[in-house]
Amino acid sequence: MFAKNSKAYSVYLLFRFVCSLAVSMSTVLSIVYHLEVVQLDAFQLVLVGTVQETSCFLFEMPTGVVADLYSRRRSVLIGMFLYGLGFLMEGALPWFAPVLLAQVVWGCGDTFITGALEAWIASEEEDKPIDKVFLRGSQMGQIGGVLGVVLGTLLGNINLQMPLILGGSLCLLLGLVMVRIMPETNFSPAIEERQGLLKDFVCLFKLNLGFVKGAPVLLALLAITLCGGLASEGFDRLSTAHFLDDTVIPVIGPLNSVTWFGVISLIGNGLGILASQLLIARMEKKGTVSRTSVVMSTSAGYILFLVLFAVGRSFWFMLLVFLLAGLMRTIKEPVLAAWMNDHVDEKMRATVFSTSGQLDSFGQIIGGPIVGLVAQQVSIPWGLVCTAFLLLPALFLVPVAGKKRD
């Protein structure tokens, strides 16, 4: 696959593969690690995610501006090194305070990559259909995620700290490799005449704000992203606890509770790979897909399957609807990103994508404590139901985005 593609596209696919491998290895059992090694309660568990998302919210816009003003390649490289440092810190220091600090470090690294990576490949590969580029990148990420899940699960059965430490080391290694092989030939700064970092930041922020205000489709898509953030933190942080507390996880041969979560993640990645391939094949056959239909159906499906997961008590039923809920998000995200890319000025791509990431983080900051308190004061299933309902406004925003024209 890599040999047939241009250098930038090949590097993009390689990066998505290895980065997802490292991140999946580090995070596949992180909730189990937080519960069993760090011994966090339900509120602390959600607070860890909220601290990470707060870091993303605070750093997202500045890092997006850096990418559009200086270099998207440089932004991605900085992000990888921060990823590695954060994962190493989290795995090596299993206490609540260091774990919180680690979320700040690798959350900041995530902001350097989010937006910058999409803007970089969209500029380097302007002649390729962006839906297919993002879907193929998502697919390579899922393949890397499968391998990361396997390695993380095997290592976690030995020691729950090992996946985090080795995943962080792999992030650092990937950063060093990308320094040598990642090209950047089509970048032009959003502002040609520099006036100092602070003034440049303010100027680009004003340009970005004015552009977004004049783009109704983009406004609707950003609002959908905010709803997605509101409805994701509870799912990410409480689903493992729901499996552990509200059902009996069967022990089948080597499949203990730790191994089961690796298997669940592995199956989820496999379904995502298959779904992405089917969507790519449909695009190749018909030339395009209805973004409105894809985003609408996956949003509605996520709400339905998450509610069913919350009320379920049978392990096998919960497993089925949990996988389907995760699949809805996997399909929606690259299609929503490609839809947004079509309504973004090239010179402000990283900043606008960072704005999207910032709204997603803001949604998680708001939604996380709400569902965390519901889970703590009422029950974890009710926290998950609350999470699902937070996505309901998106069902009204998708038709708005589909009808408007810039």
Side-chain angles (χ1 to χ4, degrees), residues 131-155:
D131 295 79
K132 188 176 178 181
V133 170
F134 285 162
L135 279 166
R136 186 66 76 186
S138 175
Q139 189 178 48
M140 292 303 297
Q142 290 154 9
I143 294 171
V146 168
L147 182 56
V149 166
V150 173
L151 293 175
T153 304
L154 292 174
L155 292 169

Side-chain angles (χ1 to χ4, degrees), residues 238 368-386:
L238 297 177
I370 292 173
V371 300
L373 286 171
V374 171
Q376 186 182 55
Q377 299 300 320
V378 185
S379 69
I380 289 173
W382 274 108
L384 288 165
V385 170
C386 180

Side-chain angles (χ1 to χ4, degrees), residues 76-373:
V76 171
L77 294 176
I78 292 171
M80 282 312 304
F81 290 122
L82 288 175
Y83 253 149
L85 180 61
F87 286 138
L88 285 173
M89 185 186 303
E90 186 173 355
L93 303 170
W95 302 288
F96 182 50
V99 165
L100 281 181
L101 181 59
Q103 308 312 303
V104 175
V105 175
W106 79 265
C108 179
D110 187 67
T111 66
F112 274 100
I113 297 173
T114 303
L117 182 65
E118 292 84 358
W120 169 75
I121 191 60
S123 296
E124 295 296 312
E125 299 291 348
E126 293 180 326
D127 296 332
K128 290 184 180 292
I130 198 64
D131 295 79
K132 188 176 178 181
V133 170
F134 285 162
L135 279 166
R136 186 66 76 186
S138 175
Q139 189 178 48
M140 292 303 297
Q142 290 154 9
I143 294 171
V146 168
L147 182 56
V149 166
V150 173
L151 293 175
T153 304
L154 292 174
L155 292 169
N157 275 280
I158 300 171
N159 186 308
L160 283 169
Q161 293 172 263
M162 286 180 65
L164 283 158
I165 293 172
L166 292 180
S169 301
L170 183 56
C171 287
L172 296 177
L173 178 61
L174 177 60
L176 292 173
V177 172
M178 287 294 118
V179 169
R180 298 297 303 270
I181 69 172
M182 188 176 185
E184 187 169 44
T185 57
N186 293 335
F187 173 73
S188 58
I191 301 174
E192 297 292 344
E193 295 183 7
R194 302 295 171 78
Q195 306 173 44
L197 181 60
L198 183 58
K199 288 185 178 180
D200 288 344
F201 173 82
V202 172
C203 181
L204 189 57
F205 178 78
K206 288 180 178 178
L207 287 173
N208 178 57
L209 186 62
F211 177 78
V212 171
K213 282 183 177 180
V217 174
L218 191 56
L219 278 172
L221 295 176
L222 290 173
I224 293 169
T225 301
L226 173 63
C227 294
L230 287 168
S232 65
E233 187 68 5
F235 179 74
D236 292 336
R237 299 292 169 177
L238 297 177
S239 56
T240 300
H242 184 40
F243 272 117
L244 291 173
D245 294 349
D246 298 318
T247 191
V248 177
I249 301 177
V251 177
I252 305 174
L255 289 178
N256 55 31
S257 60
V258 172
T259 309
W260 258 116
F261 289 111
V263 171
I264 291 170
S265 184
L266 186 65
I267 296 171
N269 277 294
L271 290 173
I273 293 167
L274 177 61
S276 296
Q277 186 59 44
L278 291 173
L279 198 54
I280 291 170
R282 180 179 175 83
M283 288 178 56
E284 290 176 342
K285 182 178 181 180
K286 298 196 172 183
T288 186
V289 294
S290 170
R291 293 166 176 170
T292 304
S293 298
V294 171
V295 176
M296 180 63 124
S297 60
T298 52
S299 298
Y302 178 77
I303 294 170
L304 172 63
F305 294 130
L306 184 51
V307 169
L308 291 175
F309 173 66
V311 301
R313 290 298 180 271
S314 163
F315 172 78
W316 298 107
F317 175 77
M318 289 169 59
L319 175 61
L320 173 63
V321 291
F322 172 80
L323 290 171
L324 290 173
L327 182 62
M328 296 299 101
R329 288 203 306 182
T330 299
I331 297 171
K332 182 186 75 174
E333 288 171 0
V335 175
L336 187 61
W339 194 356
M340 193 175 300
N341 182 77
D342 281 357
H343 299 279
V344 175
D345 182 84
E346 194 281 328
K347 288 191 175 183
M348 291 190 291
R349 273 197 181 115
T351 306
V352 173
F353 275 118
S354 290
T355 302
S356 173
Q358 193 172 38
L359 287 171
D360 181 77
S361 298
F362 181 70
Q364 295 190 47
I365 292 168
I366 299 300
I370 292 173
V371 300
L373 286 171

